[in-house]
Amino acid sequence: MQGFDLSVILANPEFRAMLIKGIELTFIVAGVSWLVAMALALVLLTVRLTPSRLAQRTVAVYVSYHRNVPTLVQLMLWYFGISNLLPDAMQEWLTDHNGEAIFAIIALGLCQAAYFSEDMRSGLRAIPTGQAEAARALGHSYVNSMRYVILPQAIRNAIPALVNHTISLFKNSSLAMAIGVAELTHMVREIESRSFRTFEVYTVATVLYLGTSLVLMGLGAMLARRYSLAAAR
Amino acid sequence: MLDLIEIVRDNWVLLLIGQYPYGPLGGIAATLILSVVGILLAFPVSVALALARLSPWAWLRWPVTALVYIVRGVPLLLIILWTYFLLPLVLGQNVSGFATMICTLVLYEASYLSEVVRAGIQALPNGQTEAARSLGHGYVRAMRHIILPQALYNMLPSMLSQFISTIQDTTLGYVINVQELTFAANQINNQLLTKPFQVFFILAITYFVVCFTLTALAHQVERRIARRRLGGGVAPQIIDGVVMPAAQGPAPVGEVS
């Protein structure tokens, strides 16, 4: 085995360009699916809070499906299965427009929405009903009592879980490799097969993933501190 | 709908046990064996890691803390690739995908479980340790007979959810060609070629049934433990192996993923 030499990877312009492309796509996939997940989670949460039993059951089934089926299988179902049911014109369009990444974003976004909506719901449920009653009794409207009394407390409760699931979404973006999205892990394997410098490439990837995760963890800790009970008192 | 039944009828053996006895064991059987063996081996390791992280000696605490953070900050897929590459180098011989996957799962799940165990131990009132020590128990005996039995019992639901995550994590073995359920479904898909939706739908439903059953079981265990502990303190909530501060109201049930 040759000695450990990172410059073989980092000084090579071709490999460096591949790494940067991979990182870009990882951030795009993770970022866009985060937005999809958050938007959908708010919709799911709102539906779940309506009095309709049918709507509540539907959301419960949605959440249960996405939490009990492995993410990789969801990705495969979207990319190999559901794409096949689409009309031909649409399939062609998707092939031309990086369909793998689009399906990865859809699958990861829909899956993570289930987790996000549950995080927010348990944050809300932890608020005693007395809080809402007191706010209403003091003359706040429903919207104002939500805005000034319930939501600030609910967000405080939900933040740690939301941050954790954001980190797992970021890590899960690596699964997109299995359906051929050229994100960081995919590029790393590509570079490995061309350079045979497994140790070095994996180290670079590990540092990149770990660095981003640690930054996210740090941001989460900062947010939690900002909203913590001690600061509010 | 007919397609689904036909595919299951023609391929149920492959989905259940893979190519066994003509080839390696695969299908659901391999998935379950991987996850059961993985979690059983990970459990003692996780207790050791948790005790190391709670130990008063910095030389023991710091490396283990670093290890847990690294494993939690890196995608499982990358850890699998690392093991796949390093294990043969360390052992000096070829290692099967199955063994590689078990090693990875032990490392990965033990790191996550160790956070659960640590939370469980820290959730116990200090008086428990103090009382045990003042009754003359040493550290080991206090841990073994007083602290761990209580902590581990309270953690049963979290451990069950970790087992469910483990089942889901075994799917990643697909990347290094471990012959488990996802691999079997891809084999079937490659034979049929024309019915990818049906094949992967069957795959998703199969995982759903297995994991949903276990989730329901975890909820039941959780309710039973909550009843038994009624009147006790509020345990910290654990999500993805990370300790949350105790919730303000009644702790939400079953939000552990």
Side-chain angles (χ1 to χ4, degrees):
Chain A
M1 215 175 109
Q2 311 120 304
F4 183 79
D5 184 9
L6 276 181
S7 64
V8 177
I9 305 296
L10 296 177
N12 184 322
E14 189 197 358
F15 293 156
R16 206 168 47 207
M18 285 169 80
L19 274 176
I20 291 174
K21 265 207 175 129
I23 297 168
E24 253 176 35
L25 202 53
T26 288
F27 278 117
I28 291 174
V29 168
V32 178
S33 45
W34 191 89
L35 290 176
V36 171
M38 210 24 123
L40 188 58
L42 288 171
V43 175
L44 289 173
L45 182 68
T46 318
V47 172
R48 196 135 199 201
L49 293 177
T50 59
S52 155
R53 281 304 281 276
L54 180 71
Q56 288 177 11
R57 293 293 309 164
T58 314
V59 175
V61 169
Y62 177 93
V63 169
S64 183
Y65 168 82
H66 285 91
R67 294 212 307 192
N68 284 307
V69 175
T71 316
L72 184 63
V73 174
Q74 292 177 34
L75 275 164
M76 287 175 169
L77 182 62
W78 273 98
Y79 182 65
F80 298 119
I82 296 178
S83 73
N84 199 47
L85 301 178
L86 297 171
D88 287 343
M90 207 164 164
Q91 284 190 36
E92 269 166 38
W93 185 87
L94 280 167
T95 324
D96 293 341
H97 292 80
N98 208 348
E100 300 91 0
I102 295 176
F103 279 116
I105 287 170
I106 295 177
L108 289 173
L110 293 191
C111 170
Q112 214 62 30
Y115 287 97
F116 281 165
S117 80
E118 282 303 280
D119 294 342
M120 291 191 269
R121 195 171 71 101
S122 53
L124 268 179
R125 278 209 311 194
I127 313 287
T129 38
Q131 295 276 337
E133 285 160 7
R136 297 306 292 274
L138 285 170
H140 285 296
S141 66
Y142 175 78
V143 174
N144 272 344
S145 68
M146 268 291 177
R147 171 149 160 47
Y148 293 110
V149 181
I150 309 297
L151 282 184
Q153 303 184 67
I155 290 174
R156 177 166 61 222
N157 290 337
I159 276 182
L162 286 176
V163 170
N164 280 332
H165 283 138
T166 302
I167 295 169
S168 44
L169 170 63
F170 168 68
K171 292 193 293 174
N172 280 346
S173 70
S174 64
L175 299 187
M177 183 206 91
I179 60 170
V181 180
E183 45 72 70
L184 184 54
T185 314
H186 188 276
M187 286 302 193
V188 159
R189 295 200 82 182
E190 192 87 346
I191 296 174
E192 180 206 347
S193 66
R194 286 199 207 172
S195 68
F196 299 106
R197 290 285 190 159
T198 316
F199 221 116
E200 287 86 347
V201 203
Y202 285 7
T203 306
V204 172
T206 305
V207 168
L208 288 171
Y209 274 117
L210 186 61
T212 316
S213 296
L214 288 178
V215 167
L216 287 173
M217 284 179 199
L219 283 178
M222 244 168 64
L223 268 180
R225 228 188 347 264
R226 226 188 115 184
Y227 284 96
S228 74
L229 268 180
R233 272 189 193 130
Chain B
M1 191 64 207
L2 266 177
D3 280 348
L4 292 183
I5 297 170
E6 219 167 90
I7 294 172
V8 172
R9 191 196 62 205
D10 293 343
N11 297 289
W12 64 274
V13 180
L14 190 63
L15 285 171
L16 214 57
I17 54 171
Q19 285 156 333
Y20 193 79
Y22 309 105
L25 188 68
I28 301 181
T31 291
L32 290 178
I33 290 174
L34 268 175
S35 29
V36 170
V37 173
I39 202 91
L40 285 182
L41 292 177
F43 176 66
V45 179
S46 75
V47 174
L49 291 179
L51 291 179
R53 282 199 71 179
L54 291 171
S55 89
W57 304 303
W59 56 266
L60 192 59
R61 202 169 56 228
W62 281 103
V64 174
T65 309
L67 175 77
V68 172
Y69 266 87
I70 291 174
V71 172
R72 276 179 37 199
V74 173
L76 175 57
L77 193 54
L78 197 56
I79 302 177
I80 292 174
L81 294 179
W82 266 117
T83 338
Y84 192 60
F85 163 64
L86 281 183
L87 212 55
L89 277 184
V90 173
L91 297 179
Q93 61 184 53
N94 277 337
V95 182
S96 69
F98 197 86
T100 308
M101 199 57 205
I102 288 197
C103 289
T104 318
L105 284 175
V106 170
L107 174 69
Y108 190 76
E109 309 301 339
S111 297
Y112 275 85
L113 260 185
S114 79
E115 294 288 86
V116 177
V117 176
R118 193 167 68 104
I121 292 175
Q122 281 180 330
L124 285 180
N126 254 338
Q128 294 284 336
T129 317
E130 286 158 13
R133 298 305 291 271
S134 59
L135 283 172
H137 287 297
Y139 171 80
V140 176
R141 285 182 62 92
M143 270 296 164
R144 193 166 119 60
H145 295 292
I146 287 126
I147 304 300
L148 281 181
Q150 299 184 69
L152 297 182
Y153 178 73
N154 293 339
M155 283 156 23
L156 265 179
S158 313
M159 286 199 272
L160 259 175
S161 7
Q162 197 62 44
F163 178 58
I164 298 168
S165 320
T166 312
I167 294 180
Q168 303 191 354
D169 290 339
T170 58
T171 53
L172 299 201
Y174 166 77
V175 177
I176 53 169
N177 291 330
V178 179
Q179 311 225 344
E180 37 73 69
L181 185 53
T182 311
F183 189 87
N186 276 285
Q187 271 181 313
I188 297 171
N189 184 40
N190 290 341
Q191 278 166 24
L192 294 176
L193 283 177
T194 50
K195 298 191 174 87
F197 177 75
Q198 288 84 339
V199 172
F200 286 102
F201 185 71
I202 293 171
L203 180 65
I205 293 302
T206 315
Y207 275 111
F208 181 80
V209 169
V210 173
C211 295
F212 185 78
T213 317
L214 286 167
T215 310
L217 184 71
H219 277 239
Q220 235 174 28
V221 172
E222 195 164 39
R223 267 200 297 276
R224 175 171 295 183
I225 290 175
R227 261 207 308 277
R228 273 188 65 160
R229 298 182 65 219
L230 217 60
V234 183
Q237 195 192 345
I238 295 141
I239 293 175
D240 261 14
V242 174
V243 192
M244 305 296 148
Q248 298 306 300
V253 175
E255 305 311 336
V256 179
S257 63

